[in-house]
Amino acid sequence: MGKVVILGVFVADTSYRADRMPRMGETILGNSFALGPGGKGSNQAVACARIGAETHMISKLGQDDFAKLALDTWAGAGVTPHADQISESYTGAAYIFVEESSGDNAIIVAPGAAALIDAADIDARADLIKSADVFITQLEQPMPAALHALGIARAAGVTTILNPAPAADLPEGMLALCDYVTPNETECEALTGITVETEADAKRAAAALRALGVGTPIITMGERGAYLDGHGLVPAIKAGPVVETTGAGDAFNGGFAAALAEGQSPLQAVKIGCATAGISVTRPGTAPSMPDRSEVEALLRA
């Protein structure tokens, strides 16, 4: 069992399914509503723990019912929390629109207390970060905190992963702290200026990311799979009809990080990430959709 430390955000997902997105000023009737645990960092932690890694989650929460949802979610998945609870803010929340016919989504995230994570919070968890086999973060918490944590991990020889989502301008030198960067096509274009529609596009974009200092770029390409620099396109692994794509990237990153932490090769780790994502999209919700290791191994054997 490898050890993975994750810096990220928990948000309570409020998910609305409807035939289409309402236009500005318009009200439409939805088909269903669900409340559940989410946030990129939290989803990745749940996926990582269910694949079998010793998983630690660094974040901040409010003192409210959504904080209880976070702590219960992590306890159920076997994630160890390192999350201060503060009364000056609220636990994060997200609005998720899911298009009924396709399962595609649009999301607004309000990070709440996690938006207050700063360098001092990272310094307080420095020993934890240094003790990891793999450290992974995203861009839902403040950028300076993510940059500082990556620097601590890199200096300690920890394998570093940046999932650059949501897309944002990165500080100079941040990508050079990353052994792996895992953007989707949209995030990759934001980082490189290269539109990624084909495997050839992904190869050019990966070269651009390497030129910016990334060790090994991995570009997730939805239903096509994931492009692993130095190998090529690793096909997606289908587990059944798509119900909802929310959290698929988080499932990939959590499975990938867990596999790397236990010593799997990058190619095998990407395959495990693809299988984790492939199962997750066949189920509604985000954290509840994350499969366990036995499900992933069964899919890989199929």
Side-chain angles (χ1 to χ4, degrees), residues 79-80 113 137 232 274:
V79 176
T80 301
T137 191
C274 286

Side-chain angles (χ1 to χ4, degrees), residues 102-141:
S102 68
D104 290 340
N105 62 78
I107 303 172
I108 299 172
V109 176
L116 304 176
I117 298 172
D118 60 19
D121 297 309
I122 302 305
D123 286 336
R125 312 295 188 205
D127 287 344
L128 174 66
I129 293 170
K130 292 174 184 178
S131 71
D133 295 300
V134 172
F135 171 79
I136 180 169
T137 191
Q138 325 74 34
L139 302 177
E140 287 183 331
Q141 74 286 314

Side-chain angles (χ1 to χ4, degrees), residues 8 27 29-30 39 41 44 51 58 65 69 84 95 111 113 121 137 146 155 214 233 235-236 242 244 252 260 295 302:
T27 299
L29 288 176
Q44 290 170 17
I51 294 301
I58 301 172
D65 289 343
L69 176 61
D84 297 329
Y95 157 82
D121 297 309
T137 191
V214 176
L233 186 65
V242 174
E244 185 175 332
F252 173 87
L260 273 187
E295 294 175 291

Side-chain angles (χ1 to χ4, degrees), residues 13-269:
D13 284 345
T14 62
S15 181
Y16 304 79
R17 300 183 74 95
D19 294 336
R20 62 174 177 83
M21 178 78 79
R23 293 184 292 271
M24 189 63 67
E26 179 186 27
T27 299
I28 65 172
L29 288 176
N31 299 331
S32 65
F33 168 80
L35 171 66
K40 291 185 181 300
S42 180
N43 290 341
Q44 290 170 17
V46 170
C48 190
R50 288 186 175 166
I51 294 301
E54 177 190 338
T55 306
H56 298 257
M57 176 74 186
I58 301 172
S59 193
K60 273 190 175 179
L61 304 170
Q63 294 179 345
D64 47 34
D65 289 343
F66 286 171
K68 183 178 185 303
L69 176 61
L71 296 171
D72 287 348
T73 297
W74 296 337
V79 176
T80 301
H82 305 266
D84 297 329
Q85 290 185 253
I86 59 175
S87 59
E88 294 81 5
S89 187
Y90 57 90
T91 302
Y95 157 82
I96 301 174
F97 164 77
V98 181
E99 185 178 60
E100 193 71 70
S101 61
S102 68
D104 290 340
N105 62 78
I107 303 172
I108 299 172
V109 176
L116 304 176
I117 298 172
D118 60 19
D121 297 309
I122 302 305
D123 286 336
R125 312 295 188 205
D127 287 344
L128 174 66
I129 293 170
K130 292 174 184 178
S131 71
D133 295 300
V134 172
F135 171 79
I136 180 169
T137 191
Q138 325 74 34
L139 302 177
E140 287 183 331
Q141 74 286 314
M143 189 78 70
L147 179 63
H148 189 45
L150 285 167
I152 289 172
R154 169 53 66 89
V158 176
T159 298
T160 54
I161 304 172
L162 174 64
N163 176 219
D169 292 332
L170 301 183
E172 185 176 352
M174 187 172 191
L175 290 174
L177 296 173
C178 303
D179 293 304
Y180 298 90
V181 171
T182 60
N184 64 20
E185 302 103 311
T186 302
E187 294 149 3
C188 188
E189 183 174 359
L191 292 172
T192 66
I194 297 171
T195 301
V196 177
E197 295 179 348
T198 67
E199 183 175 353
D201 295 335
K203 183 176 182 178
R204 290 193 300 116
L209 288 168
R210 283 200 317 273
L212 292 170
V214 176
T216 304
I218 299 170
I219 302 168
T220 58
M221 300 178 67
E223 63 184 9
R224 285 171 289 183
Y227 182 88
L228 171 62
D229 187 44
H231 173 82
L233 186 65
V234 180
I237 302 175
K238 298 186 185 300
V242 174
V243 173
E244 185 175 332
T245 60
T246 309
D250 300 330
F252 173 87
N253 278 279
F256 173 70
L260 273 187
E262 70 181 28
Q264 298 281 355
S265 69
L267 176 58
Q268 184 62 21

